Amino acid sequence: FPALDILGLKCPDDVAVAGLSDRREFFNSPVPITSLTYSAAELGAEAVRIFSRQEFTPGEKVYNSKLIERESS
């Protein structure tokens, strides 16, 4: 992580790093990155339902996800 190097910080000793959607780069990086995976299809379908309505009602929605812990956290 070049920005951390500039600041003299180390991952995960000084800073924890996590990402979304478990990209290949996350486990191939010098410090494998913890990530949260989710169903893009489920999230996309919900977005379509929300935007197809005339009126949006704020609220909380829980999606299935999985935390993949790696060395970055």
Short mmCIF file of all heavy atoms in Angstrom, two decimals:
data_model
loop_
_atom_site.label_atom_id
_atom_site.label_comp_id
_atom_site.label_asym_id
_atom_site.label_seq_id
_atom_site.Cartn_x
_atom_site.Cartn_y
_atom_site.Cartn_z
N PHE A 1 0.83 -1.17 0.00
CA PHE A 1 0.00 0.00 0.00
C PHE A 1 0.89 1.24 0.00
O PHE A 1 1.34 1.69 1.05
CB PHE A 1 -0.93 -0.01 1.21
CG PHE A 1 -1.78 -1.25 1.29
CD1 PHE A 1 -1.47 -2.29 2.15
CD2 PHE A 1 -2.91 -1.38 0.49
CE1 PHE A 1 -2.25 -3.43 2.22
CE2 PHE A 1 -3.70 -2.52 0.56
CZ PHE A 1 -3.37 -3.54 1.42
N PRO A 2 1.13 1.83 -1.16
CA PRO A 2 2.06 2.97 -1.28
C PRO A 2 1.71 4.15 -0.37
O PRO A 2 2.59 4.76 0.21
CB PRO A 2 1.96 3.36 -2.75
CG PRO A 2 1.51 2.12 -3.45
CD PRO A 2 0.63 1.40 -2.46
N ALA A 3 0.42 4.47 -0.22
CA ALA A 3 0.04 5.61 0.62
C ALA A 3 0.43 5.36 2.06
O ALA A 3 0.89 6.27 2.77
CB ALA A 3 -1.45 5.87 0.51
N LEU A 4 0.28 4.12 2.53
CA LEU A 4 0.68 3.80 3.90
C LEU A 4 2.19 3.88 4.06
O LEU A 4 2.70 4.35 5.09
CB LEU A 4 0.18 2.41 4.30
CG LEU A 4 -1.34 2.24 4.40
CD1 LEU A 4 -1.69 0.81 4.79
CD2 LEU A 4 -1.94 3.23 5.37
N ASP A 5 2.92 3.42 3.03
CA ASP A 5 4.39 3.49 3.06
C ASP A 5 4.85 4.94 3.23
O ASP A 5 5.76 5.23 4.02
CB ASP A 5 5.00 2.90 1.79
CG ASP A 5 4.78 1.40 1.68
OD1 ASP A 5 4.55 0.75 2.73
OD2 ASP A 5 4.85 0.89 0.55
N ILE A 6 4.23 5.85 2.49
CA ILE A 6 4.59 7.27 2.56
C ILE A 6 4.40 7.80 3.98
O ILE A 6 5.20 8.59 4.48
CB ILE A 6 3.77 8.11 1.56
CG1 ILE A 6 4.20 7.76 0.13
CG2 ILE A 6 3.88 9.60 1.82
CD1 ILE A 6 3.27 8.31 -0.94
N LEU A 7 3.35 7.33 4.64
CA LEU A 7 3.04 7.79 6.00
C LEU A 7 3.79 7.01 7.07
O LEU A 7 3.65 7.29 8.26
CB LEU A 7 1.53 7.69 6.25
CG LEU A 7 0.66 8.58 5.36
CD1 LEU A 7 -0.81 8.24 5.54
CD2 LEU A 7 0.92 10.04 5.68
N GLY A 8 4.55 6.00 6.65
CA GLY A 8 5.29 5.19 7.61
C GLY A 8 4.42 4.23 8.39
O GLY A 8 4.75 3.83 9.50
N LEU A 9 3.29 3.86 7.80
CA LEU A 9 2.35 2.95 8.46
C LEU A 9 2.39 1.58 7.82
O LEU A 9 2.72 1.45 6.64
CB LEU A 9 0.92 3.51 8.38
CG LEU A 9 0.71 4.88 9.04
CD1 LEU A 9 -0.68 5.40 8.72
CD2 LEU A 9 0.92 4.80 10.54
N LYS A 10 2.03 0.56 8.57
CA LYS A 10 2.01 -0.82 8.08
C LYS A 10 0.61 -1.40 8.22
O LYS A 10 -0.10 -1.13 9.18
CB LYS A 10 2.98 -1.68 8.90
CG LYS A 10 4.42 -1.23 8.84
CD LYS A 10 5.14 -1.98 7.78
CE LYS A 10 6.62 -1.62 7.83
NZ LYS A 10 7.14 -1.31 6.55
N CYS A 11 0.25 -2.21 7.25
CA CYS A 11 -1.01 -2.94 7.29
C CYS A 11 -0.66 -4.38 7.67
O CYS A 11 0.21 -4.98 7.04
CB CYS A 11 -1.68 -2.89 5.92
SG CYS A 11 -3.17 -3.88 5.78
N PRO A 12 -1.27 -4.97 8.63
CA PRO A 12 -2.37 -4.54 9.49
C PRO A 12 -1.92 -4.00 10.84
O PRO A 12 -2.75 -3.72 11.69
CB PRO A 12 -3.15 -5.82 9.69
CG PRO A 12 -2.09 -6.87 9.80
CD PRO A 12 -1.03 -6.41 8.80
N ASP A 13 -0.63 -3.83 11.06
CA ASP A 13 -0.15 -3.39 12.37
C ASP A 13 -0.73 -2.04 12.79
O ASP A 13 -1.13 -1.85 13.93
CB ASP A 13 1.38 -3.32 12.39
CG ASP A 13 2.02 -4.67 12.14
OD1 ASP A 13 1.39 -5.70 12.46
OD2 ASP A 13 3.15 -4.70 11.61
N ASP A 14 -0.76 -1.07 11.86
CA ASP A 14 -1.22 0.28 12.17
C ASP A 14 -2.61 0.57 11.59
O ASP A 14 -3.36 1.36 12.17
CB ASP A 14 -0.23 1.31 11.61
CG ASP A 14 1.16 1.11 12.16
OD1 ASP A 14 1.30 1.00 13.39
OD2 ASP A 14 2.11 1.06 11.36
N VAL A 15 -2.92 -0.02 10.46
CA VAL A 15 -4.17 0.26 9.75
C VAL A 15 -4.76 -1.05 9.23
O VAL A 15 -4.05 -1.85 8.62
CB VAL A 15 -3.92 1.21 8.54
CG1 VAL A 15 -5.19 1.44 7.75
CG2 VAL A 15 -3.32 2.52 8.99
N ALA A 16 -6.04 -1.27 9.50
CA ALA A 16 -6.74 -2.43 8.93
C ALA A 16 -7.38 -2.01 7.61
O ALA A 16 -7.86 -0.89 7.48
CB ALA A 16 -7.81 -2.93 9.89
N VAL A 17 -7.36 -2.90 6.63
CA VAL A 17 -7.92 -2.61 5.31
C VAL A 17 -8.92 -3.70 4.95
O VAL A 17 -8.66 -4.89 5.15
CB VAL A 17 -6.81 -2.56 4.23
CG1 VAL A 17 -7.40 -2.36 2.85
CG2 VAL A 17 -5.81 -1.45 4.54
N ALA A 18 -10.08 -3.29 4.44
CA ALA A 18 -11.09 -4.25 3.99
C ALA A 18 -11.71 -3.72 2.70
O ALA A 18 -11.73 -2.52 2.45
CB ALA A 18 -12.18 -4.45 5.04
N GLY A 19 -12.22 -4.63 1.88
CA GLY A 19 -12.83 -4.24 0.62
C GLY A 19 -14.15 -4.96 0.41
O GLY A 19 -14.56 -5.79 1.22
N LEU A 20 -14.79 -4.67 -0.70
CA LEU A 20 -16.06 -5.31 -1.07
C LEU A 20 -15.88 -6.14 -2.33
O LEU A 20 -15.10 -5.80 -3.20
CB LEU A 20 -17.14 -4.25 -1.33
CG LEU A 20 -17.64 -3.50 -0.12
CD1 LEU A 20 -18.58 -2.39 -0.57
CD2 LEU A 20 -18.35 -4.43 0.84
N SER A 21 -16.61 -7.21 -2.41
CA SER A 21 -16.76 -8.07 -3.59
C SER A 21 -15.53 -8.89 -3.96
O SER A 21 -15.32 -9.21 -5.11
CB SER A 21 -17.28 -7.29 -4.80
OG SER A 21 -16.30 -6.49 -5.39
N ASP A 22 -14.71 -9.24 -3.03
CA ASP A 22 -13.63 -10.23 -3.14
C ASP A 22 -12.99 -10.34 -4.52
O ASP A 22 -13.03 -11.36 -5.17
CB ASP A 22 -14.12 -11.59 -2.68
CG ASP A 22 -12.97 -12.48 -2.24
OD1 ASP A 22 -11.98 -11.94 -1.74
OD2 ASP A 22 -13.07 -13.70 -2.42
N ARG A 23 -12.37 -9.28 -4.94
CA ARG A 23 -11.70 -9.25 -6.24
C ARG A 23 -10.39 -10.04 -6.19
O ARG A 23 -9.79 -10.19 -5.13
CB ARG A 23 -11.41 -7.81 -6.63
CG ARG A 23 -12.68 -6.98 -6.78
CD ARG A 23 -12.34 -5.51 -6.96
NE ARG A 23 -11.40 -5.30 -8.04
CZ ARG A 23 -11.73 -4.99 -9.29
NH1 ARG A 23 -12.99 -4.84 -9.61
NH2 ARG A 23 -10.81 -4.81 -10.19
N ARG A 24 -9.94 -10.54 -7.31
CA ARG A 24 -8.69 -11.31 -7.39
C ARG A 24 -7.52 -10.53 -6.80
O ARG A 24 -6.65 -11.09 -6.14
CB ARG A 24 -8.40 -11.68 -8.85
CG ARG A 24 -7.05 -12.36 -9.02
CD ARG A 24 -6.82 -12.82 -10.42
NE ARG A 24 -7.72 -13.93 -10.67
CZ ARG A 24 -8.28 -14.18 -11.85
NH1 ARG A 24 -8.03 -13.41 -12.88
NH2 ARG A 24 -9.09 -15.19 -12.01
N GLU A 25 -7.51 -9.22 -7.03
CA GLU A 25 -6.42 -8.39 -6.52
C GLU A 25 -6.34 -8.44 -4.99
O GLU A 25 -5.28 -8.24 -4.41
CB GLU A 25 -6.59 -6.93 -6.96
CG GLU A 25 -6.50 -6.72 -8.44
CD GLU A 25 -7.83 -6.89 -9.17
OE1 GLU A 25 -8.84 -7.29 -8.55
OE2 GLU A 25 -7.87 -6.62 -10.38
N PHE A 26 -7.46 -8.70 -4.33
CA PHE A 26 -7.49 -8.70 -2.87
C PHE A 26 -6.66 -9.84 -2.29
O PHE A 26 -6.01 -9.68 -1.28
CB PHE A 26 -8.91 -8.79 -2.34
CG PHE A 26 -9.74 -7.54 -2.56
CD1 PHE A 26 -11.06 -7.52 -2.24
CD2 PHE A 26 -9.18 -6.38 -3.08
CE1 PHE A 26 -11.84 -6.39 -2.42
CE2 PHE A 26 -9.94 -5.24 -3.28
CZ PHE A 26 -11.27 -5.25 -2.94
N PHE A 27 -6.70 -11.01 -2.91
CA PHE A 27 -5.90 -12.11 -2.34
C PHE A 27 -4.55 -12.24 -3.00
O PHE A 27 -3.70 -13.00 -2.54
CB PHE A 27 -6.67 -13.45 -2.33
CG PHE A 27 -7.23 -13.92 -3.63
CD1 PHE A 27 -6.45 -14.61 -4.53
CD2 PHE A 27 -8.56 -13.69 -3.94
CE1 PHE A 27 -6.98 -15.07 -5.72
CE2 PHE A 27 -9.09 -14.13 -5.13
CZ PHE A 27 -8.30 -14.83 -6.02
N ASN A 28 -4.29 -11.49 -4.07
CA ASN A 28 -2.97 -11.51 -4.71
C ASN A 28 -2.10 -10.32 -4.31
O ASN A 28 -0.98 -10.20 -4.78
CB ASN A 28 -3.11 -11.52 -6.24
CG ASN A 28 -3.59 -12.87 -6.74
OD1 ASN A 28 -3.37 -13.89 -6.12
ND2 ASN A 28 -4.27 -12.86 -7.87
N SER A 29 -2.61 -9.43 -3.46
CA SER A 29 -1.83 -8.26 -3.06
C SER A 29 -0.75 -8.68 -2.06
O SER A 29 -0.84 -9.76 -1.47
CB SER A 29 -2.74 -7.19 -2.47
OG SER A 29 -3.25 -7.60 -1.23
N PRO A 30 0.28 -7.84 -1.84
CA PRO A 30 1.34 -8.19 -0.90
C PRO A 30 0.81 -8.55 0.49
O PRO A 30 1.31 -9.44 1.15
CB PRO A 30 2.20 -6.93 -0.84
CG PRO A 30 1.98 -6.27 -2.15
CD PRO A 30 0.55 -6.57 -2.51
N VAL A 31 -0.23 -7.85 0.94
CA VAL A 31 -0.95 -8.21 2.17
C VAL A 31 -2.37 -8.54 1.72
O VAL A 31 -3.13 -7.65 1.34
CB VAL A 31 -0.97 -7.04 3.18
CG1 VAL A 31 -1.79 -7.43 4.40
CG2 VAL A 31 0.43 -6.63 3.57
N PRO A 32 -2.74 -9.84 1.69
CA PRO A 32 -4.09 -10.20 1.25
C PRO A 32 -5.17 -9.43 2.03
O PRO A 32 -5.10 -9.32 3.25
CB PRO A 32 -4.16 -11.70 1.52
CG PRO A 32 -2.73 -12.14 1.40
CD PRO A 32 -1.94 -11.01 2.01
N ILE A 33 -6.14 -8.89 1.31
CA ILE A 33 -7.12 -7.97 1.87
C ILE A 33 -8.41 -8.68 2.28
O ILE A 33 -9.00 -9.43 1.51
CB ILE A 33 -7.45 -6.86 0.83
CG1 ILE A 33 -6.17 -6.09 0.49
CG2 ILE A 33 -8.53 -5.92 1.36
CD1 ILE A 33 -6.35 -5.12 -0.65
N THR A 34 -8.84 -8.42 3.51
CA THR A 34 -10.12 -8.89 4.01
C THR A 34 -11.22 -8.30 3.13
O THR A 34 -11.13 -7.15 2.71
CB THR A 34 -10.31 -8.44 5.47
OG1 THR A 34 -9.34 -9.10 6.28
CG2 THR A 34 -11.71 -8.75 5.98
N SER A 35 -12.26 -9.10 2.85
CA SER A 35 -13.33 -8.55 2.01
C SER A 35 -14.69 -9.08 2.43
O SER A 35 -14.81 -10.10 3.11
CB SER A 35 -13.09 -8.87 0.53
OG SER A 35 -13.13 -10.24 0.31
N LEU A 36 -15.71 -8.36 2.02
CA LEU A 36 -17.08 -8.74 2.26
C LEU A 36 -17.70 -9.07 0.91
O LEU A 36 -17.68 -8.23 0.00
CB LEU A 36 -17.85 -7.59 2.93
CG LEU A 36 -19.29 -7.87 3.32
CD1 LEU A 36 -19.33 -8.89 4.45
CD2 LEU A 36 -19.98 -6.60 3.72
N THR A 37 -18.18 -10.29 0.76
CA THR A 37 -18.81 -10.66 -0.50
C THR A 37 -20.33 -10.57 -0.35
O THR A 37 -20.87 -10.66 0.75
CB THR A 37 -18.44 -12.10 -0.93
OG1 THR A 37 -18.94 -13.01 0.05
CG2 THR A 37 -16.96 -12.26 -1.06
N TYR A 38 -20.99 -10.38 -1.46
CA TYR A 38 -22.45 -10.28 -1.47
C TYR A 38 -22.94 -10.72 -2.85
O TYR A 38 -22.17 -10.81 -3.79
CB TYR A 38 -22.90 -8.86 -1.16
CG TYR A 38 -22.31 -7.85 -2.12
CD1 TYR A 38 -22.97 -7.52 -3.29
CD2 TYR A 38 -21.08 -7.26 -1.87
CE1 TYR A 38 -22.42 -6.63 -4.19
CE2 TYR A 38 -20.52 -6.37 -2.77
CZ TYR A 38 -21.19 -6.06 -3.92
OH TYR A 38 -20.65 -5.18 -4.81
N SER A 39 -24.24 -10.94 -2.95
CA SER A 39 -24.83 -11.34 -4.22
C SER A 39 -25.15 -10.08 -5.03
O SER A 39 -26.07 -9.33 -4.68
CB SER A 39 -26.11 -12.14 -3.99
OG SER A 39 -26.81 -12.29 -5.20
N ALA A 40 -24.39 -9.85 -6.08
CA ALA A 40 -24.65 -8.70 -6.94
C ALA A 40 -26.04 -8.81 -7.58
O ALA A 40 -26.73 -7.81 -7.76
CB ALA A 40 -23.58 -8.58 -8.01
N ALA A 41 -26.47 -10.03 -7.89
CA ALA A 41 -27.80 -10.23 -8.50
C ALA A 41 -28.90 -9.81 -7.52
O ALA A 41 -29.86 -9.13 -7.90
CB ALA A 41 -27.97 -11.68 -8.92
N GLU A 42 -28.76 -10.20 -6.26
CA GLU A 42 -29.76 -9.84 -5.25
C GLU A 42 -29.79 -8.32 -5.03
O GLU A 42 -30.85 -7.70 -4.98
CB GLU A 42 -29.44 -10.54 -3.93
CG GLU A 42 -30.43 -10.25 -2.82
CD GLU A 42 -30.06 -10.91 -1.49
OE1 GLU A 42 -29.03 -11.61 -1.41
OE2 GLU A 42 -30.81 -10.69 -0.53
N LEU A 43 -28.62 -7.73 -4.94
CA LEU A 43 -28.52 -6.29 -4.74
C LEU A 43 -29.08 -5.53 -5.95
O LEU A 43 -29.82 -4.55 -5.80
CB LEU A 43 -27.07 -5.90 -4.50
CG LEU A 43 -26.79 -4.53 -3.93
CD1 LEU A 43 -27.46 -4.33 -2.58
CD2 LEU A 43 -25.29 -4.33 -3.80
N GLY A 44 -28.77 -6.00 -7.15
CA GLY A 44 -29.28 -5.36 -8.36
C GLY A 44 -30.79 -5.47 -8.49
O GLY A 44 -31.47 -4.52 -8.87
N ALA A 45 -31.32 -6.65 -8.14
CA ALA A 45 -32.78 -6.84 -8.21
C ALA A 45 -33.49 -5.90 -7.24
O ALA A 45 -34.53 -5.32 -7.56
CB ALA A 45 -33.13 -8.29 -7.90
N GLU A 46 -32.92 -5.72 -6.06
CA GLU A 46 -33.51 -4.80 -5.08
C GLU A 46 -33.44 -3.36 -5.59
O GLU A 46 -34.39 -2.61 -5.43
CB GLU A 46 -32.81 -4.93 -3.73
CG GLU A 46 -33.36 -4.02 -2.66
CD GLU A 46 -34.79 -4.35 -2.22
OE1 GLU A 46 -35.30 -5.44 -2.57
OE2 GLU A 46 -35.40 -3.51 -1.54
N ALA A 47 -32.34 -2.99 -6.23
CA ALA A 47 -32.21 -1.64 -6.78
C ALA A 47 -33.29 -1.39 -7.84
O ALA A 47 -33.90 -0.32 -7.88
CB ALA A 47 -30.83 -1.44 -7.37
N VAL A 48 -33.53 -2.39 -8.68
CA VAL A 48 -34.58 -2.25 -9.71
C VAL A 48 -35.94 -2.07 -9.05
O VAL A 48 -36.73 -1.21 -9.45
CB VAL A 48 -34.58 -3.47 -10.65
CG1 VAL A 48 -35.83 -3.49 -11.52
CG2 VAL A 48 -33.32 -3.48 -11.51
N ARG A 49 -36.21 -2.86 -8.00
CA ARG A 49 -37.50 -2.72 -7.29
C ARG A 49 -37.63 -1.32 -6.70
O ARG A 49 -38.69 -0.69 -6.79
CB ARG A 49 -37.62 -3.78 -6.20
CG ARG A 49 -37.97 -5.15 -6.72
CD ARG A 49 -38.36 -6.10 -5.59
NE ARG A 49 -37.23 -6.46 -4.74
CZ ARG A 49 -36.36 -7.42 -4.99
NH1 ARG A 49 -36.49 -8.15 -6.10
NH2 ARG A 49 -35.37 -7.68 -4.17
N ILE A 50 -36.57 -0.81 -6.09
CA ILE A 50 -36.63 0.51 -5.46
C ILE A 50 -36.84 1.60 -6.51
O ILE A 50 -37.71 2.46 -6.36
CB ILE A 50 -35.33 0.78 -4.66
CG1 ILE A 50 -35.31 -0.08 -3.40
CG2 ILE A 50 -35.20 2.27 -4.30
CD1 ILE A 50 -33.98 -0.06 -2.66
N PHE A 51 -36.07 1.57 -7.59
CA PHE A 51 -36.14 2.65 -8.58
C PHE A 51 -37.36 2.56 -9.49
O PHE A 51 -37.70 3.52 -10.16
CB PHE A 51 -34.85 2.72 -9.39
CG PHE A 51 -33.68 3.19 -8.58
CD1 PHE A 51 -32.60 2.37 -8.35
CD2 PHE A 51 -33.69 4.47 -8.03
CE1 PHE A 51 -31.53 2.81 -7.59
CE2 PHE A 51 -32.62 4.92 -7.27
CZ PHE A 51 -31.54 4.09 -7.05
N SER A 52 -38.03 1.42 -9.50
CA SER A 52 -39.22 1.30 -10.33
C SER A 52 -40.47 1.81 -9.60
O SER A 52 -41.51 2.00 -10.22
CB SER A 52 -39.43 -0.14 -10.78
OG SER A 52 -39.72 -0.97 -9.68
N ARG A 53 -40.36 2.07 -8.33
CA ARG A 53 -41.48 2.62 -7.56
C ARG A 53 -41.57 4.13 -7.78
O ARG A 53 -40.58 4.81 -7.99
CB ARG A 53 -41.29 2.36 -6.07
CG ARG A 53 -41.34 0.92 -5.71
CD ARG A 53 -41.24 0.78 -4.20
NE ARG A 53 -40.80 -0.58 -3.90
CZ ARG A 53 -39.96 -0.90 -2.95
NH1 ARG A 53 -39.45 0.03 -2.17
NH2 ARG A 53 -39.62 -2.15 -2.74
N GLN A 54 -42.77 4.65 -7.64
CA GLN A 54 -42.98 6.09 -7.74
C GLN A 54 -42.44 6.79 -6.50
O GLN A 54 -42.00 7.92 -6.56
CB GLN A 54 -44.47 6.38 -7.87
CG GLN A 54 -45.08 5.86 -9.14
CD GLN A 54 -45.08 6.91 -10.22
OE1 GLN A 54 -45.10 8.09 -9.94
NE2 GLN A 54 -45.03 6.48 -11.46
N GLU A 55 -42.50 6.11 -5.37
CA GLU A 55 -42.12 6.72 -4.11
C GLU A 55 -41.17 5.80 -3.36
O GLU A 55 -41.41 4.60 -3.26
CB GLU A 55 -43.39 6.95 -3.28
CG GLU A 55 -43.17 7.70 -2.00
CD GLU A 55 -44.49 7.93 -1.28
OE1 GLU A 55 -45.47 8.30 -1.93
OE2 GLU A 55 -44.51 7.71 -0.07
N PHE A 56 -40.10 6.35 -2.86
CA PHE A 56 -39.11 5.57 -2.11
C PHE A 56 -39.38 5.69 -0.62
O PHE A 56 -39.56 6.78 -0.11
CB PHE A 56 -37.70 6.05 -2.43
CG PHE A 56 -36.65 5.39 -1.58
CD1 PHE A 56 -36.36 4.05 -1.77
CD2 PHE A 56 -35.98 6.09 -0.61
CE1 PHE A 56 -35.39 3.42 -1.00
CE2 PHE A 56 -35.02 5.47 0.16
CZ PHE A 56 -34.73 4.14 -0.03
N THR A 57 -39.42 4.57 0.06
CA THR A 57 -39.60 4.55 1.51
C THR A 57 -38.28 4.13 2.15
O THR A 57 -37.84 3.00 1.96
CB THR A 57 -40.71 3.54 1.90
OG1 THR A 57 -41.89 3.87 1.20
CG2 THR A 57 -40.96 3.58 3.39
N PRO A 58 -37.63 5.04 2.87
CA PRO A 58 -36.37 4.68 3.52
C PRO A 58 -36.58 3.54 4.51
O PRO A 58 -37.65 3.40 5.10
CB PRO A 58 -35.96 5.96 4.26
CG PRO A 58 -36.75 7.05 3.64
CD PRO A 58 -38.01 6.42 3.13
N GLY A 59 -35.59 2.74 4.67
CA GLY A 59 -35.67 1.63 5.61
C GLY A 59 -34.37 0.86 5.62
O GLY A 59 -33.39 1.23 4.98
N GLU A 60 -34.39 -0.21 6.34
CA GLU A 60 -33.20 -1.04 6.46
C GLU A 60 -33.45 -2.38 5.79
O GLU A 60 -34.50 -2.98 5.95
CB GLU A 60 -32.90 -1.26 7.95
CG GLU A 60 -31.61 -2.00 8.20
CD GLU A 60 -31.30 -2.06 9.68
OE1 GLU A 60 -31.25 -1.00 10.33
OE2 GLU A 60 -31.11 -3.19 10.17
N LYS A 61 -32.48 -2.84 5.03
CA LYS A 61 -32.57 -4.12 4.34
C LYS A 61 -31.31 -4.90 4.65
O LYS A 61 -30.21 -4.36 4.59
CB LYS A 61 -32.71 -3.88 2.83
CG LYS A 61 -32.66 -5.10 1.97
CD LYS A 61 -33.97 -5.85 1.97
CE LYS A 61 -33.89 -7.00 0.98
NZ LYS A 61 -34.87 -7.99 1.19
N VAL A 62 -31.46 -6.16 4.99
CA VAL A 62 -30.32 -7.01 5.29
C VAL A 62 -30.10 -7.95 4.11
O VAL A 62 -31.02 -8.61 3.65
CB VAL A 62 -30.56 -7.83 6.58
CG1 VAL A 62 -29.40 -8.76 6.84
CG2 VAL A 62 -30.78 -6.88 7.76
N TYR A 63 -28.87 -7.98 3.61
CA TYR A 63 -28.51 -8.85 2.49
C TYR A 63 -27.59 -9.96 2.98
O TYR A 63 -26.80 -9.76 3.90
CB TYR A 63 -27.80 -8.05 1.39
CG TYR A 63 -28.68 -7.01 0.77
CD1 TYR A 63 -28.65 -5.70 1.22
CD2 TYR A 63 -29.55 -7.35 -0.25
CE1 TYR A 63 -29.47 -4.74 0.66
CE2 TYR A 63 -30.38 -6.40 -0.81
CZ TYR A 63 -30.34 -5.11 -0.36
OH TYR A 63 -31.16 -4.16 -0.90
N ASN A 64 -27.68 -11.09 2.32
CA ASN A 64 -26.76 -12.17 2.63
C ASN A 64 -25.36 -11.74 2.20
O ASN A 64 -25.16 -11.24 1.10
CB ASN A 64 -27.15 -13.45 1.88
CG ASN A 64 -28.47 -14.01 2.36
OD1 ASN A 64 -28.78 -13.94 3.54
ND2 ASN A 64 -29.24 -14.58 1.46
N SER A 65 -24.42 -11.94 3.09
CA SER A 65 -23.04 -11.61 2.77
C SER A 65 -22.12 -12.54 3.55
O SER A 65 -22.55 -13.25 4.45
CB SER A 65 -22.73 -10.15 3.10
OG SER A 65 -22.93 -9.92 4.48
N LYS A 66 -20.85 -12.52 3.19
CA LYS A 66 -19.87 -13.37 3.85
C LYS A 66 -18.58 -12.57 4.02
O LYS A 66 -18.08 -11.98 3.07
CB LYS A 66 -19.59 -14.62 3.02
CG LYS A 66 -18.57 -15.55 3.63
CD LYS A 66 -18.35 -16.76 2.75
CE LYS A 66 -17.26 -17.64 3.34
NZ LYS A 66 -16.93 -18.76 2.45
N LEU A 67 -18.06 -12.58 5.24
CA LEU A 67 -16.79 -11.91 5.52
C LEU A 67 -15.66 -12.90 5.31
O LEU A 67 -15.66 -13.98 5.88
CB LEU A 67 -16.76 -11.39 6.96
CG LEU A 67 -15.47 -10.68 7.37
CD1 LEU A 67 -15.30 -9.38 6.56
CD2 LEU A 67 -15.48 -10.38 8.86
N ILE A 68 -14.72 -12.53 4.45
CA ILE A 68 -13.54 -13.36 4.20
C ILE A 68 -12.35 -12.66 4.85
O ILE A 68 -11.87 -11.65 4.34
CB ILE A 68 -13.31 -13.56 2.69
CG1 ILE A 68 -14.54 -14.21 2.07
CG2 ILE A 68 -12.07 -14.40 2.45
CD1 ILE A 68 -14.52 -14.28 0.57
N GLU A 69 -11.96 -13.18 6.00
CA GLU A 69 -10.87 -12.55 6.75
C GLU A 69 -9.51 -12.97 6.20
O GLU A 69 -9.27 -14.15 6.01
CB GLU A 69 -10.98 -12.90 8.22
CG GLU A 69 -12.23 -12.32 8.87
CD GLU A 69 -12.26 -12.56 10.36
OE1 GLU A 69 -11.42 -11.97 11.06
OE2 GLU A 69 -13.13 -13.31 10.80
N ARG A 70 -8.69 -11.96 5.96
CA ARG A 70 -7.33 -12.21 5.50
C ARG A 70 -6.37 -11.38 6.34
O ARG A 70 -6.77 -10.75 7.32
CB ARG A 70 -7.20 -11.86 4.01
CG ARG A 70 -8.08 -12.75 3.13
CD ARG A 70 -7.67 -12.64 1.68
NE ARG A 70 -8.49 -13.48 0.85
CZ ARG A 70 -9.56 -13.05 0.16
NH1 ARG A 70 -9.92 -11.79 0.19
NH2 ARG A 70 -10.26 -13.88 -0.57
N GLU A 71 -5.12 -11.32 5.96
CA GLU A 71 -4.08 -10.71 6.77
C GLU A 71 -4.19 -9.21 6.95
O GLU A 71 -3.53 -8.62 7.78
CB GLU A 71 -2.69 -11.05 6.20
CG GLU A 71 -2.29 -12.50 6.37
CD GLU A 71 -2.86 -13.41 5.29
OE1 GLU A 71 -3.51 -12.92 4.35
OE2 GLU A 71 -2.65 -14.63 5.39
N SER A 72 -5.04 -8.52 6.18
CA SER A 72 -5.09 -7.06 6.22
C SER A 72 -5.90 -6.49 7.39
O SER A 72 -5.98 -5.29 7.55
CB SER A 72 -5.67 -6.50 4.92
OG SER A 72 -7.05 -6.80 4.84
N SER A 73 -6.50 -7.37 8.19
CA SER A 73 -7.31 -6.85 9.30
C SER A 73 -7.08 -7.64 10.56
O SER A 73 -6.47 -8.68 10.58
CB SER A 73 -8.79 -6.90 8.94
OG SER A 73 -9.20 -8.22 8.70
#
